[in-house]
Amino acid sequence: MQKQETLTKNQKIILDIIEKSSQPLKAYSILFDVKKKGINAPLQVYRALDKLVKIGKIHKIESRNAFIACKNSKCQIANATIFSICESCEDVTEIHDHKLSEHLRDFKDNKGMKYNKYNLEFFGLCKKCV
Amino acid sequence: MQKQETLTKNQKIILDIIEKSSQPLKAYSILFDVKKKGINAPLQVYRALDKLVKIGKIHKIESRNAFIACKNSKCQIANATIFSICESCEDVTEIHDHKLSEHLRDFKDNKGMKYNKYNLEFFGLCKKCV
DNA sequence: CTTATAAATGTTATATTATTACACAGCGTT
DNA sequence: AACGCTGTGTAATAATATAACATTTATAAG
Ligand SMILES: [Zn+2]
Ligand SMILES: [Zn+2]
Ligand SMILES: [Zn+2]
Ligand SMILES: [Zn+2]
């Protein structure tokens, strides 16, 4: 059974907006959207984003400073994310590839480092943009 | 034979600073350092950084907004970067793992996307920080 | 050498992304 | 009640990055 986080009002509002978007949203664009709901300051957005990232409901696309909902409803892999990013249309897709995930999970370097997280971003051109 | 880019004065100054640091540097910390050499504005730094990234002399650590020199002097892999990042001391190391690189290079998703680049960041605790 | 073209520079201003600091509210535990 | 913890609201500010414009330098073509 999965631990069910109870989200607060602000967290729900922010998550809702991100989940309704198929593509990553930026913090200030989210802020703009939620002003009508009484969220007025960047910090309110960033705090909700931080929490949602932490519990795996959303992921941050580091190269884009944007946030996308995790489609995997039982996401065990908040700490193991893979994305493909089209450099033309900026379309972002989360990749779930068992073999690749396994390879990354099992990766050991030669420095004795203990990993607990990874983020992989592939860049290229999607079918439409080739 | 590898194409030898000729760097301009600003590019050399910025690259020099980054190469002298074992760890990633942030743009504004670089700016601070090069003021004594007559580079006064952020844009001068960012332009040099852009170029150096493009030709593979340095890499951007996306999750840290910082830049590190590529140690691989004949870097064929400006477009294929793997880093390990200690979340405690922020030590960053570029990883060269043939098997993993191969796996990533050969990765194909099921959307027909054409990749030309990837960036992978592992997070955890280094030996000293465990 | 002259002209054209691309790449880099210098400068100012501005945009975008993210955090610090502080006062306070709600909630479960002791 | 007192405490610790998490979240909230607000204002101010820090940190990261780009736009716009005028000028200069390097490279190539005629
Ligand atoms: Zn996910
Ligand atoms: Zn595309
Ligand atoms: Zn490298
Ligand atoms: Zn460490």
Side-chain angles (χ1 to χ4, degrees):
Chain A
M1 199 68 162
Q2 194 180 15
K3 180 181 170 193
Q4 181 55 50
E5 296 277 356
T6 307
L7 298 180
T8 65
K9 177 172 144 285
N10 285 4
Q11 289 159 8
K12 270 181 214 146
I13 292 171
I14 307 284
L15 176 57
D16 192 51
I17 289 213
I18 298 176
E19 283 183 336
K20 277 181 179 145
S21 166
S22 65
Q23 289 302 301
L25 297 178
K26 305 204 139 207
Y28 276 72
S29 115
I30 294 169
L31 175 57
F32 180 84
D33 285 350
V34 298
K35 285 220 161 137
K36 64 194 84 149
K37 302 213 175 187
I39 295 180
N40 300 299
L43 192 46
Q44 295 176 291
V45 173
Y46 280 107
R47 285 198 281 226
L49 290 173
D50 283 352
K51 182 63 187 286
L52 294 170
V53 165
K54 198 170 293 173
I55 64 177
K57 292 288 188 184
I58 65 174
H59 304 300
K60 181 171 187 180
I61 312 298
E62 292 288 356
S63 65
R64 299 299 187 260
N65 300 315
F67 300 85
I68 194 169
C70 178
K71 296 300 192 305
N72 184 345
S73 62
K74 312 206 174 178
C75 194
Q76 310 293 331
I77 55 167
N79 298 325
T81 46
I82 310 176
F83 300 98
S84 82
I85 302 170
C86 174
E87 289 183 303
S88 170
C89 70
E90 292 294 323
D91 183 273
V92 173
T93 307
E94 186 168 359
I95 291 177
H96 295 277
D97 182 281
H98 183 68
K99 210 170 152 217
L100 180 52
S101 300
E102 209 169 45
H103 200 120
L104 292 170
R105 174 170 50 72
D106 296 342
F107 176 72
K108 298 269 184 296
D109 67 12
N110 50 15
K111 303 262 172 108
M113 182 135 172
K114 179 161 175 40
Y115 297 119
N116 55 46
K117 193 164 91 179
Y118 65 74
N119 178 56
L120 170 56
E121 297 180 5
F122 285 103
F123 304 90
L125 293 175
C126 75
K127 236 173 176 172
K128 290 176 194 163
C129 294
V130 170
Chain B
M1 198 68 160
Q2 195 179 11
K3 181 182 170 194
Q4 182 57 46
E5 295 276 355
T6 306
L7 299 179
T8 65
K9 178 172 145 282
N10 286 3
Q11 288 159 8
K12 270 181 213 143
I13 292 171
I14 307 282
L15 176 58
D16 191 51
I17 290 214
I18 298 176
E19 282 183 338
K20 277 182 179 143
S21 166
S22 65
Q23 289 301 301
L25 296 178
K26 305 205 140 209
Y28 276 75
S29 115
I30 294 169
L31 175 58
F32 179 83
D33 285 351
V34 298
K35 285 216 161 142
K36 63 193 82 147
K37 303 215 175 187
I39 294 181
N40 300 299
L43 194 45
Q44 295 177 290
V45 173
Y46 279 106
R47 286 197 280 225
L49 290 173
D50 283 353
K51 182 64 187 289
L52 293 170
V53 165
K54 199 169 295 172
I55 64 178
K57 293 286 188 184
I58 64 174
H59 304 301
K60 180 172 187 181
I61 313 297
E62 291 288 356
S63 66
R64 299 299 187 259
N65 300 315
F67 300 84
I68 194 169
C70 179
K71 296 300 190 304
N72 185 346
S73 62
K74 311 208 174 178
C75 194
Q76 311 293 332
I77 56 168
N79 299 325
T81 47
I82 310 176
F83 301 98
S84 82
I85 303 171
C86 174
E87 289 182 304
S88 170
C89 69
E90 292 293 324
D91 182 272
V92 172
T93 308
E94 185 168 359
I95 291 176
H96 294 278
D97 183 280
H98 183 67
K99 211 169 150 216
L100 180 52
S101 299
E102 208 170 48
H103 200 120
L104 291 169
R105 174 172 48 74
D106 295 343
F107 176 72
K108 296 269 183 297
D109 68 12
N110 50 17
K111 302 261 173 110
M113 182 133 171
K114 178 158 176 45
Y115 298 120
N116 55 46
K117 192 163 92 181
Y118 64 75
N119 178 58
L120 169 57
E121 298 181 4
F122 285 103
F123 305 90
L125 293 175
C126 75
K127 238 173 174 171
K128 290 176 193 164
C129 294
V130 170

